[in-house]
C-alpha cells in the first residue's frame, strides 16, 4: 500500500480495472467471474465499488478505466450487451487491450480507446508504432501488465528506458502522458 500511496503523491494517475477482473468464461480461470454472468446493474455496482475502494485507500477517485481482458460485453446470446455506456457514464475514458491501431483524437470514442500491447516487445517494435502514429497525428495508447526484465505479460524495463529516452528528445515530437491527461486535452481541443 505504501508504494501505491507514493505513486499518488508523485502525481501518478490511478485508474479502475474493476474489483473482480471479470473476463469471458472462455478463460477457465475467469469462470467464477465470467462476463457472460454479468448484468448491467452488476457491472455498474462493481465499478462503483472499485472506485470507492481506490478513494478510501488512496484518496483519489479514478477517472479512467481499463477493460479487463479488453472485453466490453456482458451477458450471453440474446441478452448480450455492451457495458461501454456504463464506462462512459462513470469515467472520462475507457481503454481496450490488444487493439489493432492507434486512435484518431478527432474521432475516437473516449469510452472505447484502443490500447496496443507493449508486453514482450522491444523498443524497435514500439518505435515503429510511435512513428506511424506521430506521422498521421494519431494517439497511440500503450497498454501492458507488470514491468520487469522478462516474463509473461511483462513490459520490459529495458524497452521502457529506451522509450523514455526517445520521448525526452524534443526532436522526436512525442508527448507521453497518462491516458486521463491526454483524454482531457483531446476533449478540450474538440470543443
Amino acid at each position: 500500500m505504501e508504494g501505491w500511496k507514493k505513486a499518488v503523491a508523485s502525481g501518478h494517475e490511478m485508474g479502475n480495472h474493476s474489483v473482480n477482473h471479470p473476463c469471458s468464461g472462455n478463460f477457465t480461470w475467469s469462470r467464477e467471474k465470467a462476463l457472460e454472468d454479468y448484468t448491467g446493474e452488476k457491472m455498474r455496482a462493481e465499478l462503483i465499488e472499485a472506485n470507492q475502494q481506490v478513494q478510501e485507500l488512496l484518496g483519489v477517485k479514478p477517472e479512467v478505466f481499463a477493460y479487463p481482458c479488453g472485453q466490453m460485453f456482458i451477458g450471453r446470446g440474446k441478452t448480450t450487451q455492451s457495458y461501454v455506456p456504463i464506462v462512459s457514464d462513470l469515467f472520462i475514458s475507457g481503454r481496450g487491450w490488444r487493439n489493432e491501431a492507434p486512435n484518431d483524437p478527432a474521432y475516437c470514442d473516449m469510452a472505447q480507446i484502443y490500447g496496443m500491447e507493449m508486453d514482450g516487445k522491444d523498443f524497435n517494435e514500439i518505435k515503429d508504432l510511435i512513428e506511424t502514429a506521430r506521422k498521421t497525428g494519431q494517439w497511440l495508447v500503450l497498454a501492458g501488465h507488470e514491468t520487469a526484465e522478462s516474463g509473461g505479460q511483462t513490459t520490459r524495463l529495458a524497452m521502457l528506458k529506451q522509450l523514455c529516452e526517445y520521448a525526452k528528445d524534443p526532436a522526436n515530437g512525442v508527448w507521453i502522458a497518462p491516458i486521463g491527461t491526454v483524454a482531457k486535452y483531446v476533449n478540450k481541443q474538440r470543443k
Side-chain angles (χ1 to χ4, degrees):
M1 187 54 62
E2 289 310 308
W4 288 107
K5 288 179 180 177
K6 279 184 180 179
V8 169
S10 296
H12 289 276
E13 180 176 87
M14 294 294 129
N16 183 321
H17 197 46
S18 76
V19 173
N20 295 306
H21 199 279
C23 295
S24 172
N26 283 309
F27 296 114
T28 55
W29 51 263
S30 189
R31 292 266 166 90
E32 298 300 314
K33 52 194 181 249
L35 286 170
E36 290 86 350
D37 299 329
Y38 270 69
T39 63
E41 296 78 27
K42 182 177 178 178
M43 182 58 75
R44 179 179 290 277
E46 180 167 331
L47 299 183
I48 290 170
E49 180 184 343
N51 274 354
Q52 290 170 342
Q53 287 181 17
V54 172
Q55 178 95 41
E56 289 169 15
L57 293 169
L58 300 175
V60 294
K61 181 182 176 197
E63 295 182 312
V64 298
F65 179 72
Y67 291 92
C69 301
Q71 298 172 338
M72 302 175 182
F73 290 90
I74 54 177
R76 184 184 289 275
K78 291 180 181 180
T79 66
T80 300
Q81 62 182 4
S82 169
Y83 73 98
V84 170
I86 296 168
V87 170
S88 179
D89 187 43
L90 297 175
F91 304 96
I92 62 170
S93 69
R95 183 213 18 101
W97 169 243
R98 289 188 172 166
N99 298 111
E100 297 179 36
N103 302 275
D104 180 342
Y107 182 81
C108 66
D109 179 349
M110 288 297 172
Q112 301 181 74
I113 299 295
Y114 284 6
M116 297 182 74
E117 184 177 20
M118 67 179 167
D119 287 346
K121 301 217 179 338
D122 64 31
F123 177 67
N124 287 332
E125 291 172 283
I126 298 300
K127 184 179 176 191
D128 288 344
L129 297 174
I130 293 168
E131 288 303 313
T132 299
R134 186 183 59 76
K135 288 175 187 170
T136 58
Q138 293 181 308
W139 173 17
L140 174 65
V141 176
L142 296 172
H145 290 87
E146 290 80 38
T147 56
E149 297 299 330
S150 63
Q153 285 196 318
T154 303
T155 295
R156 308 291 188 251
L157 292 173
M159 184 281 293
L160 286 174
K161 182 178 180 195
Q162 290 177 290
L163 173 60
C164 290
E165 290 170 4
Y166 180 80
K168 283 194 301 189
D169 183 347
N172 292 321
V174 175
W175 174 39
I176 293 182
I179 194 166
T181 300
V182 177
K184 287 175 186 174
Y185 175 82
V186 170
N187 281 334
K188 186 176 178 183
Q189 299 307 307
R190 286 179 175 181
K191 291 181 181 179

